[in-house]
Every structure is written in C-alpha cells, then in structure tokens.
Amino acid sequence: NAGVTQTPKFRVLKTGQSMTLLCAQDMNHEYMYWYRQDPGMGLRLIHYSVGEGTTAKGEVPDGYNVSRLKKQNFLLGLESAAPSQTSVYFCASRSGSYRQTQYFGPGTRLLVL
Amino acid sequence: GDSVTQMEGPVTLSEEAFLTINCTYTATGYPSLFWYVQYPGEGLQLLLKATKADDKGSNKGFEATYRKETTSFHLEKGSVQVSDSAVYFCALSGGSQGNLIFGKGTKLSVKP
C-alpha cells in the first residue's frame, strides 16, 4: 500500500495563478482532510470530506476550494493564489470514528511570489 | 473551542538524556489524544495515541499517559538518541468534524 500520496511535491506560483493539489489514498478511508502548516502555528484545517461527493469548510477555508468526486481522491484548488497561501499543505485520511489514527501524506510545499 | 498547548521549543538535549515535552488540552466531551512526529522534510507520522482517560500510549521508547484530571498528555522518553531529532506535535481529536487540533509543535535536537 502506498498510503496517502500527494502531488506535486513542490510548486512555485505567481500571484493570481491557479493550481490544484491532488491527494490520493489507497486505504478505502471515508474521511479526508487538507491542512496547512505554517511556522509556529502547527497545522490548521482548511477543508475536509466525510465521504465521496461531500466536502465542508474547516478553520481556514478562504481562498481554497475542494472536490471529492472519487472516494480515493481529494483535490485542493487555489483559484487565484496569494502570497499568504505560501505554506506546506498536508493531506490526511482516516476511517471510522474520530478515535482512529489519521494518516498523512508527505506534503506539498507551495511558494507564491 | 477545543485547543492544545504544548511547550515551546526548541529543546536541545545530549544523547541519552531524559526527555519531557509537556502538552495540555482543553476539550469538551471525550477526545482522543495523539503525538505525531515530523522528521526533517517529511510528513507527519503517528508516534503514539490514547483514546480514554488513564490510557498509556507507547512506541519506540516514548510514552504518554492520558490524564483527564490534569487535562495533560506529556511525552516522555528515558534516553533520547540523535535519531529522535524531529518536531513533535501533540493533537486531539474529538470535534464534530473529527479533525485533529494540533499544538504548535516542539522542535527537538539531540546532540551526540
């Protein structure tokens, strides 16, 4: 099993450009999450999904959109990138109840100039 | 809302020293508690977890006990190694969204 994978690993964007980050998991997990990691702030939830076709906002959703068309994939989109979105983005997935472990991908480092 | 507070870093120790990283939480209900570790340039890996009061999680020589009376989940290791150098995150899970709420992380550096 590959677990949770993310593409791309690193990307540089100019302000105003758009891009999509892809997260894929092969563990048949229902729940998927997008977090961003910024220095000194831990990880914060952007959006999440409790199943195929469903998405919901997290703590810091502004400037991002998501889609979960297939159970194994969770896409994070930036329609018009801003320097404030420079960050490391992590995807995670889990099954069952909130007591279950979340498994993380390796992260995508995004730099917006 | 729910929150996690962990000791600020960085923490620098010599090899074989004793490690404690403090973590306290505020939560409604009955959260599960986790320690995740992030090695340089990598994603987060689960180190250990506890799902109810008085549970002790342990892995790779690390331990933490879920203390409901003090709302704490301190991470300890009796003898650290250079390979333990990483950032450690305390987290809780229990909200309606089921997401993890993280502390800010503690960077540990172990010197030979």
Side-chain angles (χ1 to χ4, degrees):
Chain A
N1 285 354
V4 181
T5 58
Q6 293 182 233
T7 54
K9 287 185 170 54
F10 176 69
R11 185 77 181 268
V12 178
L13 289 179
K14 294 181 179 179
T15 297
Q17 289 185 319
S18 63
M19 78 165 293
T20 300
L21 283 67
L22 171 63
C23 174
Q25 52 93 5
D26 61 2
M27 297 174 282
N28 202 35
H29 285 170
E30 291 292 332
Y31 297 81
M32 296 187 74
Y33 303 88
W34 276 108
Y35 297 91
R36 60 178 289 172
Q37 182 181 30
D38 300 296
M41 300 195 68
L43 279 75
R44 293 178 293 169
L45 182 67
I46 304 172
H47 285 281
Y48 66 101
S49 169
V50 301
E52 182 178 319
T54 72
T55 63
K57 295 180 180 180
E59 179 186 356
V60 288
D62 293 343
Y64 305 95
N65 56 74
V66 289
S67 64
R68 184 111 181 258
L69 299 179
K70 294 183 178 181
K71 186 177 184 178
Q72 64 267 34
N73 295 338
F74 194 30
L75 279 62
L76 178 71
L78 287 73
E79 289 188 347
S80 179
S84 61
Q85 294 177 303
T86 293
S87 188
V88 182
Y89 293 87
F90 288 100
C91 176
S93 70
R94 68 165 173 88
S95 65
S97 83
Y98 66 86
R99 300 190 183 284
Q100 298 298 317
T101 300
Q102 285 192 25
Y103 295 89
F104 283 80
T108 294
R109 186 174 297 273
L110 177 65
L111 175 62
V112 183
L113 301 176
Chain B
D2 295 354
S3 65
V4 173
T5 302
Q6 64 180 102
M7 64 186 285
E8 299 284 328
V11 174
T12 302
L13 296 173
S14 298
E15 206 165 22
E16 299 184 2
F18 184 85
L19 169 70
T20 300
I21 301 178
N22 291 337
C23 172
T24 57
Y25 68 91
T26 301
T28 56
Y30 303 94
S32 289
L33 301 174
F34 303 81
W35 277 101
Y36 279 83
V37 60
Q38 184 179 31
Y39 298 103
E42 298 185 9
L44 277 73
Q45 304 174 23
L46 178 69
L47 182 59
L48 53 84
K49 72 177 186 181
T51 58
K52 62 183 186 296
D54 299 325
D55 269 1
K56 176 186 282 189
S58 62
N59 186 26
K60 298 180 181 179
F62 291 90
E63 293 183 340
T65 301
Y66 188 162
R67 301 285 189 199
K68 189 169 174 63
E69 64 276 13
T70 56
T71 61
S72 65
F73 193 54
H74 305 321
L75 182 68
E76 296 182 336
K77 187 176 185 181
S79 176
V80 294
Q81 305 300 312
V82 173
S83 57
D84 294 326
S85 298
V87 180
Y88 293 81
F89 291 94
C90 184
L92 70 82
S93 175
S96 58
Q97 300 167 341
N99 59 294
L100 290 170
I101 296 171
F102 287 89
K104 294 183 178 182
T106 302
K107 183 176 182 179
L108 171 66
S109 296
V110 181
K111 307 298 183 185

